């Protein structure tokens, strides 16, 4: 199999795994409290990451930046997962996967790194399409006050956008190892959820095998595997191609939520789903083209500006 096709398949698999995480998390919340789920997910992820680091036997220990930035990103990532998990417990997995994809259009609004001037007006038109899509998704079978689940997923999308911007700014130009950074994040997350989850540990320990299987899947596949596979694949393809393939996550969330979870989309919600996918893809394409044009303009300016004698 050609390397490019293998890389595409890995990125598509990451998108499928992330899309499936909403149904897995929703199913787990039926059997366990949210805080117990998050503690177990983080603890399993941390143990796996620590084992991977130990197996590699790298001579260089954790750097100060890896510990410092990993700790900060561990807090922001934990905030995202709290909102996501509570959110998906009160809405459908399909809705959760679609609403969280707002991160794609929220992130460029927060991140001005590498851009000169504002975003093109077309980008805000794409963002408007996404806002309309969220309204339709929230309406369900008719217009009504947004539910707690949808509002929590909106908050999760905003916090995830902040997290993504932080990842970009903190890691740019620094010698940070992804596995070590992820290990610090998962250890910090485990520590954050330990005390709140203590009261639920008896329920967690005695939960059924199916729920434990979902927790292991969320930890090893949706967290550890997805992050490492994404890093490996992005290093072997273009950012544009990677974004396009990873951007299929909400599509898989809908497919898996309906196909395996037995969820149903009303006509309004289905229209919202179509608009959300279209709006995020449109916004992503506009932002990517704008960033590329800005980078090209800077390059031209550097090569044409005369140097002083």
């Amino acid at each position: 199999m050609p390397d490019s096709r293998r890389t595409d398949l890995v990125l598509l698999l990451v998108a499928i795994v992330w899309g499936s995480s909403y149904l897995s998390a929703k199913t787990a919340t039926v059997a366990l409290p949210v805080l117990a789920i998050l503690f177990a997910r983080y603890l399993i992820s941390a143990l796996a990451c620590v084992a991977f680091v130990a197996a590699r036997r790298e001579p260089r220990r954790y750097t100060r930046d890896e510990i410092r930035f990993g700790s900060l990103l561990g807090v922001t990532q934990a905030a995202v997962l709290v909102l996501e998990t509570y959110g998906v417990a009160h809405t459908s997995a399909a809705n959760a996967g679609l609403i969280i994809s707002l991160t794609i259009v929220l992130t460029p609004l927060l991140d001005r790194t590498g851009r000169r001037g504002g975003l093109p007006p077309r980008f805000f038109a794409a963002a408007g399409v996404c806002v309309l899509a969220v309204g339709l998704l929230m309406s369900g079978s008719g217009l009504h006050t947004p539910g707690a689940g949808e509002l929590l997923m909106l908050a999760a999308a905003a916090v995830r956008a902040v997290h993504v911007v932080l990842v970009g700014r903190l890691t740019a130009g620094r010698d940070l190892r992804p596995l070590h950074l992820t290990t610090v994040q998962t250890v910090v997350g485990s520590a954050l959820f330990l005390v709140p989850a203590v009261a639920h540990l008896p329920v967690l320990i005695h939960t059924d095998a199916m729920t434990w299987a979902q927790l292991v899947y969320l930890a090893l596949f949706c967290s550890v595997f997805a992050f490492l596979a994404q890093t490996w694949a992005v290093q072997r393809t273009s950012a544009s191609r990677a974004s396009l393939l990873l951007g299929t996550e909400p599509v898989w969330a809908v497919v898996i939520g309906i196909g395996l979870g037995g969820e149903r989309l009303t006509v309004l919600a289905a229209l919202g789903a179509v608009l959300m996918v279209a709006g995020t893809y449109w916004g992503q394409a506009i932002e990517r083209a704008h960033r590329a044009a800005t980078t090209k303009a800077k390059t031209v300016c550097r090569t044409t500006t005369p140097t002083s004698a």
Side-chain angles (χ1 to χ4, degrees), residues 28-29 31-38 86 200 203-204:
T29 59
L32 291 171
V34 168
L35 294 175
I37 293 171
L38 292 171
Y86 273 113
H200 307 299
V203 180
L204 177 63

Side-chain angles (χ1 to χ4, degrees), residues 14-78:
V14 171
I16 294 172
V17 166
W18 277 344
S20 69
S21 67
Y22 302 101
L23 181 60
S24 296
K26 183 174 182 63
T27 306
T29 59
V30 175
L32 291 171
V34 168
L35 294 175
I37 293 171
L38 292 171
F39 172 68
R41 178 174 180 175
Y42 265 105
L43 182 61
I44 296 169
S45 298
L47 292 174
C49 287
V50 169
F52 282 138
V53 171
R56 297 182 67 174
R57 297 180 180 178
E58 291 191 14
R60 185 158 60 101
R61 297 183 178 180
Y62 292 87
T63 65
R64 181 177 298 178
D65 282 347
E66 285 170 346
I67 295 174
R68 184 173 55 177
F69 298 146
S71 297
L72 176 57
L73 294 175
V75 173
T76 55
Q77 182 63 59

Side-chain angles (χ1 to χ4, degrees), residues 210-301:
M210 180 60 70
T211 303
W212 269 111
Q214 291 166 339
L215 295 175
V216 170
Y217 178 74
L218 287 169
L220 298 186
F221 287 88
C222 302
S223 296
V224 179
F225 162 78
F227 181 83
L228 296 178
Q230 178 191 17
T231 303
W232 175 89
V234 168
Q235 292 173 341
R236 290 162 173 78
T237 188
S238 67
S240 298
R241 192 170 185 83
S243 297
L244 182 65
L245 291 167
L246 292 174
T248 61
E249 176 190 347
V251 177
W252 296 112
V254 173
V255 170
I256 293 170
I258 294 174
L260 299 181
E263 297 179 349
R264 297 176 61 186
L265 285 180
T266 63
V267 174
L268 284 178
L271 178 59
V274 172
L275 289 177
M276 177 63 76
V277 173
T280 52
Y281 268 81
W282 186 24
Q284 186 183 57
I286 294 170
E287 191 277 337
R288 190 166 56 240
H290 179 64
R291 185 181 292 272
T294 302
T295 302
K296 183 178 180 180
K298 287 183 177 180
T299 303
V300 171
C301 287

